[in-house]
Amino acid sequence: MNSSEIRVALRWILSRSWLGAAVATHSALAGLGFVVLSQTGWAGAYSWIFAAVGTVIAVFVPWINWWFQRKYAARSEAKQRLAKVTDTLPMPTRPVDRRPSSLLAADNRVIEFIDHREDRATLSAWADDELSAPILFLKGSTGTGKTRLTIEWAAQRTDLAVLRVRPGTEASIVGDANALDKSVALVVDLTFPRPELNSLINDLARSSGRKIRLIIEIRTEAMIEHLRASVDTQGRLLLETAASHTLSICDGDADVVRRIRRAHADLRAKLNIQEAPLPELAAPCTFRSINETVVASILGDISADRKSIGGALLSSEAAAWRAGGPGFSPSIDPATAMACIGSLTLFGAHSELAAVDLLRLVPELADARLERRYELARWIRRLYPGAADTEFVGHIEPPSLQHAVCGSIDSSVIDSMSAHPGLPKTAVARALAVLIPASVTFPHLAGAVSNLLHSAVGENLPDAVRTAILTQRPIDVDRAVAQAVAGGEVEISETTIAMLSTLIGHRMLVTRAAVAGNTVSSARQSGDLHELALALDDLHMASRVAGDSGAALESVKEAFDLYEVLCAENSTVSVRERAAQAAMNVGKALYERGRYSDARSYLEKSESGYRALYADVGENMVGRLAMVRATRGWLDIDDGDIDGGISAINEALDLLTRRPQTESEQEAGALARVRTLRVRALTNHGHEGESLFEELEDVISMNRSLAQSGEVFDISDYLESLQCRVVLARRLPDRREGEVAYAQDAVEIARNYADSYAGIFDIALAQALLNYSFSLVSARISSEDAVEASQESVAIYWRLCRTDAHRFRINLSSALCSLGAARMSSLSPAGYTEAIDAFQRAVDELRTLDTGGSTLLACKMRCDSKIRIAHCTKELGYETRALALLDAAVDTIEEAEAEHSGLFTARLAAALAVKAHWLASPDGSLPLLTRSIELFESVENLAPEFEPTYRSALDLRAQFDSGQPQLKYRV
């Protein structure tokens, strides 16, 4: 304790009158002790005890008291400050009236909270795990119960202080929350703009300890992107580790109907309404919010479609306005009431004076007395109170009701208010968040949205961009903005991109690539080679994520050439490392295009560069070196050198595991990626066994943990490992029963990521659909579902081929083969005819591949497709034509075997066995069978899919030997 604190303490002690009595008592007791000090025995002992007690009272007790007062006073002051900026959950239930906005307010908890047990358990597990991320994004569309979930969860967690942060108060939260005597869970609703939330994130990133947890409610991933763009470096690192949970949805139409009936009965009982028939619910149900349906059906006569539900809610709400609302009855006509309430709740006036000023812009109130406008402003506040001191009027809940109110007022009122000079940008952003989705149902709001966009963005957006925004097609907005940026019509900042991402719920990937292209142009003009190389690197990444692999390849090749020049001039470690990385990126891009020879050349340069760096700077380069070695191994496998490729991947894995592991996320990612490649290689090329499956499960667990960071490459590895599990389960008899379930799980996870990341994981989804279709065909479960999955995969690859045919044509061919196999599984003439069409389209696509040579995968698909075309033709009754097609297929396989020695032996043996069955004569069949069996027996590890054909060939030869051949065989 320093001298200033001692002076404060003494001043505090001396200012308390009761301490005088304590000192006097001490003096008296001490004096008594001295008086009898000369006495002996018990009297002397008592005198010393009195003196000691007096000393304690006079000296120690005041100090202890002062320490407690200081500690608890600070905690009490922190609680008082938090009470002004947060609401403690669960909040006391307010009296409700029969307005829909009152019945549907999450805080009022009018309707029973049905199910969501798993969601509550997830929140508790996250809050109790000290090692979990301090931030959790709670995702769900409008009306799925995000706010209600946090309220109900808070009621269960008495050990936590669960506080909902009011808008505009985020900057003062973290310090006071740390002063409380228990752990704190802060809840923030980010379904509307929160400009100051970045302050809370930055403060939390710098806060010590694990006392504070943050739950952020969002509707789309774009809101996270906007948040990332607004925080500092430490805040961004914290967001990268954030956890995420999507609210569980209803399990099918029957579950929707069950919940609606249960909530309907509950609400009728609370409102004491005897008769309120349910709307007729047609399957499939399309309601996002069950509670809206229930409230609308009780308060108004509706059918089951969404538009009539919104109309019923608005009619009931307007009836409450005509009655004056709770506790007040202004004389106002319905149209004026609609305009006043709609405009104030849309912009959320920040004070009473601002509300009165905005009401002046309502035409009917332009000449009204000031007292009249005050009267109306206070009435609207009673109906829809704001959530904070900075928000005089709040939104109308649910959002669909707010949309209906805005759609019922003249857009000129909104235009006049948006042009008001005193309107803050936060109010404009809040209005846009409501009007953009509302303009889909109410097109007359489009003009108001266009005008507000100019105010919000602060830049003059071209008409094409505004039109695209109003069409509600995010990808069109992205392309329109990118075109405007590339054409020099507008210079757009990262902040503006983030805001547009939030408004349209899209990541604006094409726009980011266009901005990177402009940066490259500026760097060219500057003449700085290093700056240009860095800009080209950024353009490569942006183009690759946006799906433009051609631009990505061109930019990274130019970047590598520049880095080589820079290395010759100034061979620093950073430049050499960037050169090695650029070489690896070029190699990977060329490999994806099938240009194996060129790809190998660049990968060798990259490996050489990383080995030199490893010799100079040591262990920091191990992860990069292992990755380029593993990539070379995967290339070798695809080029036919399977053993050499697997050996290279094992070398890469050995590099990462032979030294002590660190906690570096980069190194963990490299290890997971190399292990994923190894398991994929072993799985795809005949290796199997329970030990490999257990290793794969461990890899999936690693990738799942890394994928929670939201990094694109980590998620890609996670999805790839899920696909490996499907393929491996197909080959293991003990795991085969779970194959379809694994495939379905992979499709659901890939679809979730594809929806959240707006196109980045479409390829993974298409591949998952292919595996799912193949699993259904193999299990003979449902040819219809298999066809549907294959058709969706074909549609995805057709769309991708329009942007990059070189890269995706082989994937499209694979999808067409899968569609053909699914059509075949129906075993009907129509199915065989459609299968022939699909296989022939696959062969045509493979014929147009420009890969600088036939790839192994393309050869396999071409051979298999031709055999299946022949089989379908035979099943349709055209036996002569089928035999001619089979001969052509055999010739194709022999050519492939000559090109890829030993890799097509089993396929050739299988084709010869099929032909032997079809010829149906000893003279023609026996030589083919002999050669087929010899070829089968020459294969060292025969793949499981060829074993039935091999056994069939042995059986047929035995039948010929016995003189009773059974010449029936299906491919």
Side-chain angles (χ1 to χ4, degrees):
M1 181 177 289
N2 57 39
S3 59
S4 62
E5 289 179 324
I6 293 174
R7 284 196 300 271
V8 172
L10 289 174
R11 193 180 301 116
W12 185 87
I13 292 171
L14 295 174
S15 65
R16 266 54 178 179
S17 59
W18 60 270
L19 287 176
V23 173
T25 303
H26 164 261
S27 301
L29 292 173
L32 179 63
F34 284 118
V35 168
V36 297
L37 190 61
S38 59
Q39 297 183 14
T40 58
W42 290 105
Y46 280 131
S47 69
W48 283 106
I49 292 173
F50 287 150
V53 171
T55 302
V56 170
I57 293 174
V59 178
F60 292 103
V61 171
W63 283 96
I64 294 172
N65 182 270
W66 171 78
W67 181 80
F68 273 100
Q69 285 287 338
R70 191 177 75 163
K71 179 177 179 180
Y72 285 106
R75 185 175 297 167
S76 177
E77 291 171 2
K79 286 183 178 179
Q80 291 174 10
R81 287 192 296 270
L82 283 173
K84 295 178 181 179
V85 298
T86 64
D87 298 309
T88 303
L89 298 180
M91 297 172 64
T93 303
R94 299 191 298 268
V96 299
D97 50 63
R98 292 193 179 186
R99 287 180 301 129
S101 59
S102 178
L103 297 174
L104 290 168
D107 290 340
N108 290 346
R109 289 179 281 168
V110 177
I111 299 175
E112 182 183 354
F113 193 60
I114 302 171
D115 298 334
H116 290 284
R117 289 184 294 272
E118 292 183 2
D119 295 321
R120 280 181 272 195
T122 299
L123 283 182
S124 291
W126 165 76
D128 293 338
D129 185 0
E130 293 184 356
L131 300 179
S132 65
I135 297 178
L136 172 74
F137 286 106
L138 189 61
K139 294 188 288 188
S141 56
T142 302
T144 51
K146 298 183 294 296
T147 303
R148 186 70 182 273
L149 173 63
T150 56
I151 292 172
E152 298 295 335
W153 176 69
Q156 297 178 339
R157 298 302 301 257
T158 56
D159 58 322
L160 287 174
V162 184
L163 308 174
R164 183 189 296 157
V165 182
R166 298 174 187 168
T169 63
E170 296 88 349
S172 58
I173 295 290
V174 173
D176 290 333
N178 272 323
L180 299 185
D181 57 348
K182 59 166 59 175
S183 296
V184 178
L186 302 175
V187 180
V188 174
D189 183 2
L190 194 55
T191 56
F192 58 91
R194 302 286 289 261
E196 295 187 23
L197 181 56
N198 60 338
S199 300
L200 194 157
I201 302 291
N202 294 335
D203 292 344
L204 185 59
R206 292 168 174 78
S207 174
S208 59
R210 308 285 292 184
K211 281 185 62 174
I212 302 178
R213 296 301 179 107
L214 178 60
I215 301 172
I216 304 178
E217 301 170 8
I218 61 171
R219 291 177 188 153
T220 65
E221 288 286 336
M223 294 173 174
I224 303 178
E225 290 294 323
H226 194 179
L227 192 57
R228 282 178 179 154
S230 64
V231 299
D232 60 19
T233 303
Q234 287 182 270
R236 196 172 296 114
L237 290 173
L238 183 63
L239 288 175
E240 292 297 333
T241 64
S244 179
H245 176 66
T246 302
L247 260 66
S248 58
I249 58 176
C250 298
D251 185 17
D253 301 331
D255 192 26
V256 173
V257 175
R258 177 183 65 82
R259 293 191 185 194
I260 288 178
R261 294 190 183 283
R262 182 172 164 186
H264 196 268
D266 175 48
L267 185 57
R268 279 178 53 195
K270 289 187 177 181
L271 298 180
N272 195 24
I273 295 176
Q274 300 301 319
E275 295 296 332
L278 264 173
E280 184 176 347
L281 302 173
C285 296
T286 57
F287 307 115
R288 284 191 302 175
S289 174
I290 291 173
N291 291 354
E292 289 180 37
T293 309
V294 172
V295 170
S297 65
I298 289 178
L299 299 182
D301 183 15
I302 65 164
S303 60
D305 65 280
R306 185 182 298 277
K307 189 173 182 180
S308 66
I309 291 174
L313 292 175
L314 180 57
S315 297
S316 298
E317 194 77 12
W321 301 342
R322 289 191 293 273
F328 187 73
S329 181
S331 56
I332 185 170
D333 65 275
T336 304
M338 189 80 72
C340 294
I341 292 172
S343 55
L344 283 192
T345 56
L346 178 63
F347 289 101
H350 59 279
S351 67
E352 184 178 48
L353 183 60
V356 171
D357 197 28
L358 284 176
L359 287 178
R360 181 175 54 83
L361 300 176
V362 176
E364 292 82 358
L365 298 178
D367 300 325
R369 293 179 297 107
L370 184 62
E371 293 79 3
R372 175 62 171 161
R373 293 202 298 271
Y374 267 105
E375 184 182 43
L376 288 172
R378 289 164 184 163
W379 171 63
I380 295 172
R381 177 175 171 79
R382 289 192 188 97
L383 288 170
Y384 310 107
D389 296 336
T390 57
E391 189 180 47
F392 182 73
V393 178
H395 275 311
I396 301 177
E397 294 293 341
S400 59
L401 181 55
Q402 177 80 73
H403 297 169
V405 172
C406 292
S408 301
I409 63 178
D410 196 298
S411 61
S412 61
V413 177
I414 301 174
D415 289 338
S416 61
M417 292 190 176
S418 63
H420 192 278
L423 196 67
K425 283 204 169 187
T426 53
V428 176
R430 163 181 164 149
L432 277 172
V434 173
L435 289 177
I436 286 180
S439 64
V440 178
T441 309
F442 305 101
H444 73 278
L445 297 174
V449 173
S450 183
N451 293 332
L452 280 168
L453 274 172
H454 178 66
S455 300
V457 174
E459 295 163 2
N460 189 20
L461 292 179
D463 292 339
V465 176
R466 301 188 186 199
T467 303
I469 289 174
L470 297 177
T471 62
Q472 292 285 294
R473 286 177 54 82
I475 188 62
D476 291 342
V477 179
D478 193 4
R479 289 171 180 161
V481 176
Q483 187 174 0
V485 170
E489 298 178 54
V490 62
E491 291 186 7
I492 197 165
S493 64
E494 178 61 35
T495 304
T496 300
I497 294 174
M499 174 173 281
L500 286 172
S501 299
T502 302
L503 291 174
I504 66 175
H506 188 66
R507 294 167 68 90
M508 304 289 288
L509 301 174
V510 183
T511 297
R512 296 177 192 276
V515 172
N518 282 358
T519 305
V520 169
S521 299
S522 301
R524 289 190 197 281
Q525 294 175 1
S526 70
D528 187 329
L529 295 184
H530 188 263
E531 181 183 345
L532 177 57
L534 294 175
L536 286 165
D537 258 346
D538 291 340
L539 178 58
H540 159 254
M541 290 303 299
S543 300
R544 182 175 176 81
V545 173
D548 189 353
S549 61
L553 175 58
E554 291 177 8
S555 58
V556 76
K557 280 183 71 175
E558 185 179 356
F560 173 70
D561 293 340
L562 289 173
Y563 284 130
E564 282 198 315
V565 173
L566 291 169
C567 283
E569 296 176 355
N570 182 16
S571 185
T572 62
V573 171
S574 63
V575 173
R576 289 164 58 198
E577 183 180 356
R578 286 187 175 276
Q581 181 63 42
M584 183 168 72
N585 289 334
V586 175
K588 288 169 67 176
L590 291 170
Y591 164 46
E592 289 173 351
R593 288 170 169 258
R595 295 167 56 180
Y596 290 173
S597 178
D598 294 339
R600 184 175 286 105
S601 173
Y602 276 96
L603 290 173
E604 286 173 354
K605 291 178 182 178
S606 177
E607 184 175 351
S608 175
Y610 278 127
R611 287 196 183 279
L613 285 166
Y614 178 59
D616 291 344
V617 301
E619 302 294 327
N620 290 337
M621 294 296 151
V622 166
R624 300 280 190 180
L625 178 59
M627 277 307 306
V628 70
R629 191 77 186 101
T631 304
R632 280 195 62 187
W634 194 253
L635 185 152
D636 290 340
I637 289 171
D638 268 3
D639 204 25
D641 185 7
I642 297 174
D643 292 337
I646 292 176
S647 175
I649 294 174
N650 285 332
E651 287 176 22
L653 187 61
D654 185 54
L655 276 172
L656 291 169
T657 56
R658 71 186 181 190
R659 66 194 186 98
Q661 297 297 302
T662 68
E663 296 183 359
S664 164
E665 289 188 10
Q666 181 178 353
E667 187 169 310
L671 178 60
R673 207 158 293 136
V674 171
R675 289 188 68 187
T676 302
L677 287 174
R678 177 180 179 276
V679 173
R680 280 181 61 196
L682 294 175
T683 302
N684 292 347
H685 296 283
H687 296 260
E688 56 194 50
E690 191 62 31
S691 60
L692 183 60
F693 193 88
E694 291 174 358
E695 181 183 355
L696 176 56
E697 290 284 16
D698 186 39
V699 170
I700 290 173
S701 179
M702 284 182 66
N703 286 328
R704 185 186 297 115
S705 299
L706 291 168
Q708 291 177 356
S709 69
E711 286 293 333
V712 171
F713 297 112
D714 292 330
I715 295 172
S716 297
D717 290 338
Y718 177 39
L719 297 177
E720 284 180 4
S721 58
L722 291 175
Q723 301 303 327
C724 287
R725 182 170 64 176
V726 177
V727 175
L728 190 55
R730 187 178 300 148
R731 295 177 176 174
L732 296 175
D734 294 340
R735 299 282 184 176
R736 198 166 294 153
E737 290 184 1
E739 177 192 345
V740 174
Y742 290 142
Q744 192 168 12
D745 186 42
V747 168
E748 291 175 359
I749 293 172
R751 194 182 298 282
N752 286 337
Y753 280 118
D755 292 342
S756 300
Y757 284 78
I760 296 179
F761 297 108
D762 284 353
I763 302 171
L765 174 59
Q767 188 58 46
L769 288 164
L770 286 186
N771 265 336
Y772 181 49
S773 174
F774 191 89
S775 298
L776 290 173
V777 171
S778 301
R780 296 182 174 85
I781 292 178
S782 171
S783 61
E784 292 83 3
D785 290 345
V787 168
E788 184 179 343
S790 295
Q791 285 176 329
E792 185 179 355
S793 181
V794 168
I796 292 173
Y797 281 128
W798 267 119
R799 186 176 70 249
L800 293 171
C801 276
R802 284 198 290 270
T803 61
D804 193 342
H806 289 287
R807 181 181 177 189
F808 296 112
R809 181 164 279 132
I810 195 166
N811 302 98
L812 174 60
S813 303
S814 178
L816 288 167
C817 289
S818 174
L819 178 59
R823 296 288 192 192
M824 281 181 68
S825 65
S826 67
L827 305 180
S828 66
Y832 288 128
T833 302
E834 292 170 342
I836 290 174
D837 178 63
F839 287 127
Q840 189 58 56
R841 286 166 62 194
V843 172
D844 293 341
E845 292 293 334
L846 291 167
R847 191 178 294 119
T848 59
L849 276 174
D850 179 18
T851 59
S854 298
T855 67
L856 187 62
L857 180 59
C859 284
K860 288 179 179 179
M861 284 194 291
R862 189 181 297 115
C863 297
D864 293 347
S865 296
K866 288 188 173 183
I867 289 180
R868 286 171 170 168
I869 289 172
H871 173 76
C872 291
T873 304
K874 189 174 191 301
E875 291 294 332
L876 289 171
Y878 304 104
E879 296 189 3
T880 304
R881 173 65 177 159
L883 192 57
L885 290 170
L886 184 60
D887 284 336
V890 170
D891 292 341
T892 301
I893 297 173
E894 288 183 331
E895 291 174 3
E897 174 67 9
E899 184 178 353
H900 304 278
S901 179
L903 298 180
F904 284 80
T905 305
R907 269 181 176 75
L908 180 58
L912 293 172
V914 172
K915 186 176 180 180
H917 279 79
W918 286 7
L919 286 176
S921 68
D923 293 339
S925 298
L926 278 174
L928 294 172
L929 285 172
T930 301
R931 187 184 174 199
S932 172
I933 292 170
E934 288 175 353
L935 289 172
F936 273 131
E937 291 175 347
S938 69
V939 178
E940 187 173 347
N941 292 312
L942 189 64
E945 56 262 33
F946 293 111
E947 289 179 356
T949 311
Y950 175 42
R951 290 195 299 269
S952 175
L954 293 173
D955 290 344
L956 182 59
R957 189 170 69 174
Q959 291 166 15
F960 271 116
D961 293 342
S962 65
Q964 297 179 340
Q966 302 289 327
L967 299 174
K968 293 182 180 179
Y969 181 73
R970 306 186 76 87
V971 175

